[in-house]
Amino acid sequence: EVQLVESGGGLIQPGGSLRLSCAVSGFTVSTNYVSWVRQAPGRGPEWVSIIYKGGDTYYADSVKGRFTISRDESKNTVYLQMNSLRAEDTAVYYCARVPLAANGPPYFFDFWGSGTLVTVSS
Amino acid sequence: DIQMTQSPSTLSASVGDRVTITCRASQNIKSWLAWYQQKPGKAPKLLIYRASSLDSGVPSRFSGTGSGTDFTLTVSSLQPDDFATYYCQQYNSYSTFGQGTKLEIK
């Protein structure tokens, strides 16, 4: 059974740093595309970042230079290091998997975690 | 950046109704469009990808059409479990979601 479980969210002051974790089971992070998607209160989802099967990484312009996605294949876990946090980064952060058999651009998602809340406030 | 515009923002309907939600992209996204259903406090659930392909386990009352810039999601006969918020998502160039359509009970 495919599962993704996020952790690491919390209350952080503006300018601070936080690392989110996404522990997966039922598939391996080294052979799948995994993304982070966030959703601010009352808003639609916003794609944040993706790590490709081959290890390439991509980011939304809103987080480029501040956030870093990585993975630990031995732990089957994907991370999101978030630095220089701003109030507008406040959201529920989800990790999500691209379908194995997807053809075309790998940016839609068939399995999602339940999310972890990040609140940036003084 | 590609912008996605959904209409309407809110839709009131009854069980058994046929409803349609529209999504327009600011530029040609071919057929790289997905639809999701989201309930309060839950993650989005994939319904349709590549504009018209139903994800595994999704009831056949859901259908999607369109290509280029104009797309629709139709629910042929609303069931009580279908009242939720629906989002379109383009994935032709990275990813952008629409602002959502809340489907509520009339």
Side-chain angles (χ1 to χ4, degrees), chain A:
Chain A
E1 181 189 7
V2 171
Q3 284 193 319
L4 303 93
V5 179
E6 304 93 338
S7 60
L11 175 63
I12 187 78
Q13 292 189 340
S17 297
L18 212 54
R19 189 178 82 156
L20 306 183
S21 299
C22 171
V24 316
S25 57
F27 69 97
T28 56
V29 298
S30 60
T31 58
N32 284 264
Y33 301 90
V34 178
S35 258
W36 287 94
V37 179
R38 68 185 180 184
Q39 188 169 26
R43 304 283 299 274
E46 177 191 15
W47 173 76
V48 173
S49 180
I50 190 170
I51 185 162
Y52 276 28
K53 289 190 276 191
D56 290 347
T57 59
Y58 298 91
Y59 301 91
D61 287 344
S62 57
V63 306
K64 200 173 295 183
R66 300 188 299 124
F67 289 13
T68 303
I69 190 171
S70 62
R71 68 189 182 202
D72 184 331
E73 296 175 12
S74 67
K75 296 182 178 179
N76 217 22
T77 298
V78 175
Y79 302 98
L80 186 68
Q81 177 67 43
M82 306 187 295
N83 299 330
S84 303
L85 283 161
R86 308 166 180 167
E88 54 265 36
D89 295 318
T90 294
V92 174
Y93 284 73
Y94 298 99
C95 58
R97 189 194 79 162
V98 175
L100 275 173
N103 57 22
Y107 290 91
F108 73 100
F109 315 110
D110 62 348
F111 284 94
W112 299 60
S114 58
T116 186
L117 176 62
V118 173
T119 304
V120 184
S121 175
S122 53

Side-chain angles (χ1 to χ4, degrees), chain A residues 39 45 103 105 107-109 113, chain B residues 36 38 43 49-50 89 91 97:
Chain A
Q39 188 169 26
N103 57 22
Y107 290 91
F108 73 100
F109 315 110
Chain B
Y36 297 84
Q38 188 176 33
Y49 61 95
R50 206 169 182 178
Q89 177 212 18
Y91 55 100
F97 290 82

Side-chain angles (χ1 to χ4, degrees), chain B:
Chain B
D1 289 4
I2 300 175
Q3 309 301 318
M4 305 301 292
T5 303
Q6 288 181 235
S7 61
S9 297
T10 306
L11 181 56
S12 297
S14 303
V15 172
D17 284 354
R18 177 185 180 91
V19 297
T20 297
I21 299 169
T22 297
C23 180
R24 175 163 288 176
S26 59
Q27 58 186 269
N28 183 2
I29 60 169
K30 307 178 185 74
S31 294
W32 304 125
L33 184 106
W35 289 97
Y36 297 84
Q37 177 193 71
Q38 188 176 33
K39 296 184 177 178
K42 301 294 187 182
K45 174 189 173 184
L46 178 66
L47 299 174
I48 287 170
Y49 61 95
R50 206 169 182 178
S52 61
S53 296
L54 218 59
D55 193 35
S56 175
V58 175
S60 59
R61 63 181 180 273
F62 291 92
S63 63
T65 63
S67 66
T69 60
D70 293 313
F71 302 86
T72 60
L73 171 71
T74 298
V75 187
S76 61
S77 179
L78 278 172
Q79 299 302 301
D81 191 50
D82 299 338
F83 293 94
T85 300
Y86 293 83
Y87 293 98
C88 63
Q89 177 212 18
Q90 70 81 16
Y91 55 100
N92 179 68
S93 174
Y94 295 121
S95 169
T96 317
F97 290 82
Q99 83 281 11
T101 294
K102 184 177 182 180
L103 179 54
E104 58 182 29
I105 301 174
K106 185 184 289 184

